[in-house]
Amino acid sequence: MTRIIHLIITLFMIAGCALSAYPQRRVTPVDPTVKKNIIRQQPGKPKPLDRTHIVEQLDANGNTILVDTLTGLEVIDSLAIADKPRNLYPKYTSVSIGLNVWDPIMRCLGQKYGIGDVWARFSFYNRFMPFAALGLGNANITPDGLNYTWKSKIAPYLKLGFDYNVFYNNSPDYQLLVGLRYGITRFSFQVVDVTVPGGYWKDPATMNIPSQTSTIGYLEISLGLRVKLIGNLAAGWAVTFRSLLNQSKCPYGEPMYIPGFGKRGQPLGASISFIYTIPLNYSPSSKVHKSEQTSRQPSEENL
Amino acid sequence: MGKILIAATLATATTALCACSSDGCSENQTCVPRAGFYSYNDGKQIVVDSIEVGGVGAPNDSLLIKGSSRQTTLPLRANIPSTSFFFRYTQKSLADYAITDTLTIDYSTIPYFASEDCGAMFRYSISRISHTHNLIDSVALLDSTVTNLDLELIRIYFRTQTNTDNQ
């Protein structure tokens, strides 16, 4: 008898373990056969609600519903549904000024072109950010194993565009930015110390290709991160995809390097910036409370 | 935060590596015109048997082609505005006559920077082609600008023997 009882208990335990492996079935205390009268607001036909016998309750999903204890009517409290605010930050959020040090760093690592740029970014709602950059670039490149030295004088470039902060309702200390920019530059360049091998005739020639001036416009698409370092100081990284849009004709060959763009034929670029931000209408230390931004007074119309 | 920094650093480093890569020079590093051999009779490309082509005054009398060929390169001298080439026919039936044609190309040189990988070179703008008329009937210039693209720019039409001639 005792063995039988032990066997039954063991079977119950095994069955319990097996059943626990399946998702637990939810049991609701609400009788599904009872027809609910949920009043849906008809557009353009506001219907006043008699609040005499109204009590607040929570439904199975955690939504607040208003129940008329006399008639049994249930009304969804639309005011209790928190709308996601469109923009948490003020229209004029901040101004950022940055120094792009990518080219100076790469120069230290052996790169033979580029100087750098300073840029400014105005932040609207911590979301839309017009962008402008002004920089300088030059080059003096003598590739190994090739027959020339490519030079360009220091020349300015300008970039205009905008960034979009994906995390616009999060802290401005951390931003994920997608940007589109148009860059333009005008610069002079020349190729010197060219040695053309003699080949079949065995009479090598030397030459300098005359100086040429070119105006070039290009498009940049960037994906960047901005991270707060300390106080109002931040660092930013960006990877850019670049494409030439327009350029003036160069009878002696197209330029190898373009200020602000980099080397021709290399569509990928990067930037590293140190950024100083001037907050305009918010304090970086204060938290933005969603409830304050979204709270509204209930009205009959919203019910 | 740390992960963001690592991801950003990796992305930047990857970009830097990609930016340093080079496709190499897919074209020629010199500008040399190429001439094809054609039959004057039917205008079709032919293989010329037993022919020697070389530059007039080339070092060591070096040849550009020797034997049978359907085309030849005609490298131009960068330091002077004209280059001449000889066409010597060495077939058994013609060897005794020592028939040779000479083709002269007049041109101007244009310094040109092709690309980072291909470097700088001379392009040529051909102004005139003259030749003797032993076996060369005529010469056609398809494009007067010689670039580093591998294109046939000159067609040399030879007097060729036909079946009718044999009869």
Side-chain angles (χ1 to χ4, degrees), chain A residues 204-282:
Chain A
T206 56
M207 64 162 173
N208 292 329
I209 295 179
S211 177
Q212 301 180 90
T213 301
S214 182
T215 303
I216 292 183
Y218 51 89
L219 193 71
E220 264 190 11
I221 299 169
S222 73
L223 178 66
L225 280 174
R226 198 193 104 135
V227 177
K228 178 184 174 182
L229 293 178
I230 185 169
N232 288 347
L233 195 65
W237 296 260
V239 178
T240 55
F241 176 81
R242 305 168 297 201
S243 179
L244 293 179
L245 286 185
N246 57 288
Q247 61 179 320
S248 53
K249 281 193 172 181
C250 300
Y252 303 120
E254 293 171 333
M256 186 174 91
Y257 162 78
I258 300 157
F261 181 95
K263 277 190 179 178
R264 174 187 293 273
Q266 291 182 352
L268 277 180
S271 69
I272 294 176
S273 294
F274 290 106
I275 307 158
Y276 187 80
T277 301
I278 305 162
L280 296 179
N281 284 329
Y282 82 100

Side-chain angles (χ1 to χ4, degrees), chain A residues 56-68:
Chain A
E56 274 191 16
Q57 286 186 356
L58 292 177
D59 68 2
N61 294 325
N63 297 321
T64 304
I65 56 171
L66 305 177
V67 181
D68 189 332

Side-chain angles (χ1 to χ4, degrees), chain A residues 15-262:
Chain A
C17 290
L19 287 174
S20 66
Y22 293 95
Q24 190 174 3
R25 190 167 66 90
R26 288 194 171 190
V27 180
T28 171
V30 180
D31 183 0
T33 59
V34 177
K35 194 177 180 183
K36 291 180 182 176
N37 296 318
I38 297 178
I39 297 173
R40 301 282 178 195
Q41 179 66 47
Q42 295 295 321
K45 292 181 180 177
K47 211 169 188 179
L49 186 70
D50 181 10
R51 290 179 164 271
T52 316
H53 308 288
I54 292 292
V55 293
E56 274 191 16
Q57 286 186 356
L58 292 177
D59 68 2
N61 294 325
N63 297 321
T64 304
I65 56 171
L66 305 177
V67 181
D68 189 332
T69 53
L70 201 63
T71 62
L73 289 175
E74 292 180 1
V75 180
I76 297 170
D77 185 0
S78 60
L79 288 177
I81 301 170
D83 290 334
K84 192 174 182 184
R86 189 172 173 78
N87 293 303
L88 288 181
Y89 287 89
K91 185 175 181 182
Y92 305 112
T93 314
S94 63
V95 175
S96 296
I97 297 163
L99 178 67
N100 181 4
V101 294
W102 172 261
D103 279 334
I105 290 172
M106 294 305 287
R107 282 259 185 178
C108 295
L109 298 174
Q111 182 178 283
K112 302 292 185 187
Y113 57 87
I115 294 176
D117 57 59
V118 290
W119 54 262
R121 190 160 51 202
F122 204 98
S123 173
F124 290 100
Y125 302 111
N126 188 37
R127 187 175 190 182
F128 306 106
M129 304 181 178
F131 174 94
L134 187 64
L136 296 171
N138 78 329
N140 190 340
I141 305 167
T142 307
D144 293 335
L146 287 169
N147 63 341
Y148 64 92
T149 295
W150 198 97
K151 285 182 177 179
S152 73
K153 292 176 182 173
I154 294 175
Y157 61 86
L158 176 70
K159 291 180 187 178
L160 294 173
F162 67 89
D163 288 332
Y164 179 82
N165 180 17
V166 177
F167 300 145
Y168 58 90
N169 275 346
N170 294 69
S171 168
D173 294 344
Y174 304 98
Q175 296 174 343
L176 176 63
L177 299 159
V178 181
L180 185 69
R181 284 144 205 186
Y182 177 76
I184 189 163
T185 181
R186 181 175 171 81
F187 62 104
S188 297
F189 62 96
Q190 63 180 137
V191 187
V192 298
D193 301 332
V194 179
T195 305
V196 180
Y200 170 76
W201 292 99
K202 294 186 171 48
D203 54 351
T206 56
M207 64 162 173
N208 292 329
I209 295 179
S211 177
Q212 301 180 90
T213 301
S214 182
T215 303
I216 292 183
Y218 51 89
L219 193 71
E220 264 190 11
I221 299 169
S222 73
L223 178 66
L225 280 174
R226 198 193 104 135
V227 177
K228 178 184 174 182
L229 293 178
I230 185 169
N232 288 347
L233 195 65
W237 296 260
V239 178
T240 55
F241 176 81
R242 305 168 297 201
S243 179
L244 293 179
L245 286 185
N246 57 288
Q247 61 179 320
S248 53
K249 281 193 172 181
C250 300
Y252 303 120
E254 293 171 333
M256 186 174 91
Y257 162 78
I258 300 157
F261 181 95

Side-chain angles (χ1 to χ4, degrees), chain A residues 201 203, chain B residues 56 76-84 105 107-109 124:
Chain A
W201 292 99
D203 54 351
Chain B
V56 175
L76 305 177
R77 300 180 72 174
N79 296 319
I80 56 174
S82 179
T83 303
S84 295
I105 303 175
Y107 51 87
S108 56
T109 55
Y124 302 95

Side-chain angles (χ1 to χ4, degrees), chain B residues 8-151:
Chain B
T9 309
L10 282 175
T12 313
T14 307
T15 308
L17 287 173
C18 291
C20 292
S21 67
S22 174
D23 293 337
C25 180
S26 57
E27 296 151 1
N28 296 323
Q29 289 184 303
T30 54
C31 299
V32 179
R34 183 156 55 86
F37 300 157
Y38 289 81
S39 165
Y40 170 72
N41 293 328
D42 56 11
K44 291 182 179 174
Q45 190 162 23
I46 55 170
V47 176
V48 178
D49 182 32
S50 304
I51 187 173
E52 291 176 356
V53 178
V56 175
N60 305 321
D61 294 328
S62 59
L63 296 174
L64 292 162
I65 58 169
K66 183 179 182 181
S68 61
S69 178
R70 60 171 53 222
Q71 62 180 9
T72 182
T73 55
L74 300 173
L76 305 177
R77 300 180 72 174
N79 296 319
I80 56 174
S82 179
T83 303
S84 295
F85 300 90
F86 65 83
F87 291 70
R88 189 181 299 140
Y89 309 102
T90 55
Q91 293 98 327
K92 279 185 180 176
S93 56
L94 299 172
D96 296 340
Y97 303 101
I99 297 175
T100 302
D101 272 315
T102 305
L103 184 141
T104 302
I105 303 175
D106 298 331
Y107 51 87
S108 56
T109 55
I110 307 165
Y112 187 77
F113 179 75
S115 67
E116 177 185 4
D117 296 315
C118 293
M121 60 194 70
F122 283 113
R123 279 183 165 184
Y124 302 95
S125 178
I126 297 174
S127 55
R128 183 170 171 267
I129 298 179
S130 57
H131 60 91
T132 56
H133 292 78
N134 292 319
L135 283 188
I136 294 177
D137 180 84
S138 55
V139 174
L141 179 63
L142 303 181
D143 191 342
S144 62
T145 305
V146 183
T147 67
N148 62 332
L149 299 177
D150 188 20
L151 298 172

